[in-house]
Amino acid sequence: MAGNDSLTKRITEQGDKVRKLKSAKVPKDEIAEEIAKLLALKAKVTSEDGTSSSKCKLILKTPKGTRDYGPEHMALRNNVLSKIVDVFKLHGAETIDTPVFELRDVLLGKYGEDSKLIYDLADQGGEILSLRYDLTVPFARYLAMNKISNIKRYQIAKVYRRDNPTMTKGRYREFYQCDFDIAGRYDPMVPEAECVRIACEVLSRFDLGSFKLKINHRQLLDGLFEACGVSSDQFRTICSSVDKLDKLPWEEVKAEMVNEKYLSPEIADKIGVYVQQRGHKELVDKLLADENLSKYQSAKDGLDGIKLLLEYCEYYNVADKVSFDLSLARGLDYYTGIIYEAVLCGGEADGVGSIAGGGRYDNLVGMFDAKNKSVPCVGISFGVERIFSILEAKNTAEKTKPRTTEVEVYVASAQKNLITERMKIINELWQNDFKAEHSYKMNPKILIQLQHCEETSIPWAVIIGEDELKRGVVTLRHVPSRQEEEVKRESLVDELKNKLRK
């Protein structure tokens, strides 16, 4: 066993080495050589009795970056998703669904440096496919393919990223996204303001603590970089560095710009003066008066847009949640205008990072249209796995156990040989749309039945016995208070309807 443990460790280390080489995009020959070593190690795996690895005991686990969801987790998940969908419907959205995988060419070139995180499927002699990285690019493909120019849609589905997972903080390789998008040509900042309002509504529905919504503008960033002397071909790569300011100090971000992206220290310092600023309307006015920035139209257009959005946020009563933050530089290549990101502040939220984000992407649909016809779009995406993680931690700390069923009534028998009578009663309850259940045993003990009601928070129990059947009555028990009353058998349905309405 010790030999196998050592070999397993070597296989794991070699697998990690192969993945790092692929991420670093080293020459294929070098990768192939390391893969060959990995396969050779796997071929050596033997069990204690010398049988081949295919006959070794299977280690049951979920793949890295994934997890199972038991009944309690699913109850919490469904509750969260239901509340989010309610907000989407309040704003008039309709829903769609798209395939979990797309043609690889549909996804490539849309995510900048994050394209390396796309899961490619094995080539089996057919179409070249990849698992979807987000829901936005498939949505843009859907609009272009179906010639749709106006829609307000939401979609909740799983996406996949070959990221380094941090399970305790809600960072997975397979996870749900909840997207809300508005497609169509409308007046400036009106759809953006509604997306900000929706973000605040959703996050306010959960006990997550305080949060803020950071906003910025891609045109402002482009104008800022130009004003500081960054060449246009470096805009996106410098953006990705700036976007790390929420996790790293300026000195480390600057070092990356200078040492890895070969930006001059002088230009980096100029960028640093701007991107470490945050505020509200007063910061917009300050930057509009900046002599250097005012020379660049893209910077001025971006600032005008932010100023208008902040004004609309006041009318939607969310201005106190919004912060104009010049360090926000979401790295996805398809953003063209306003960008925003919601972050939680303190408490259980420490280390969770962004919990929602989005922005305007006016050119993405045009990439899929033969005539390059664009459909302006703006949207917001919620990272619900992070919401789940925080709420699960709260439930654990408070020892709160969510209900995993919605059963309203339990039909119990106090004596033997009454299963057919239970069946008659529960069938009547089902016919009247009650959520009900009973024991699958012929002669269950009454204490076990009532204990089940208490453990699963079933509010009402209908108890029958031979004496009750002779008198044409049943005992109705309120499980939380343990109070009981007799009701006539023929009026049971009406009695339960009245009590469940209270």
Side-chain angles (χ1 to χ4, degrees), residues 187-230:
D187 289 332
M189 297 300 148
V190 178
E192 283 89 340
E194 185 160 357
C195 286
V196 170
R197 169 70 195 183
I198 287 169
C200 294
E201 284 183 44
V202 167
L203 297 179
S204 296
R205 291 202 170 199
F206 305 106
D207 184 19
L208 300 173
S210 61
F211 64 88
K212 64 180 177 180
L213 201 75
K214 300 189 290 186
I215 66 168
N216 203 355
H217 202 294
R218 286 307 287 257
Q219 284 183 278
L220 170 58
L221 285 169
D222 289 349
L224 185 155
F225 293 148
E226 190 176 3
C228 292
V230 179

Side-chain angles (χ1 to χ4, degrees), residues 408-467:
E408 300 166 311
V409 186
Y410 188 93
V411 180
S413 54
Q415 293 162 318
K416 294 182 178 180
N417 303 318
L418 295 176
I419 187 169
T420 56
E421 296 299 329
R422 281 192 277 128
M423 286 180 169
K424 291 177 186 177
I425 292 174
I426 200 167
N427 188 56
E428 184 180 355
L429 295 179
W430 287 335
Q431 287 176 332
N432 285 274
D433 297 326
F434 287 99
K435 297 168 184 173
E437 66 175 0
H438 72 126
S439 173
Y440 296 137
K441 290 190 174 183
M442 292 283 291
N443 300 306
K445 294 180 179 180
I446 185 63
L447 288 179
I448 292 176
Q449 295 173 83
L450 295 178
Q451 185 178 4
H452 171 75
C453 293
E454 292 185 358
E455 289 176 350
T456 56
S457 301
I458 298 173
W460 292 98
V462 175
I463 305 172
I464 58 172
E466 292 178 357
D467 180 59

Side-chain angles (χ1 to χ4, degrees), residues 104 119 187 216 241 261 300 320 338 344 346 447 475:
R104 190 174 301 170
Y119 268 107
D187 289 332
N216 203 355
S241 294
K261 301 183 177 178
K300 185 178 183 303
D320 60 319
I338 280 288
L344 301 180
L447 288 179
T475 298

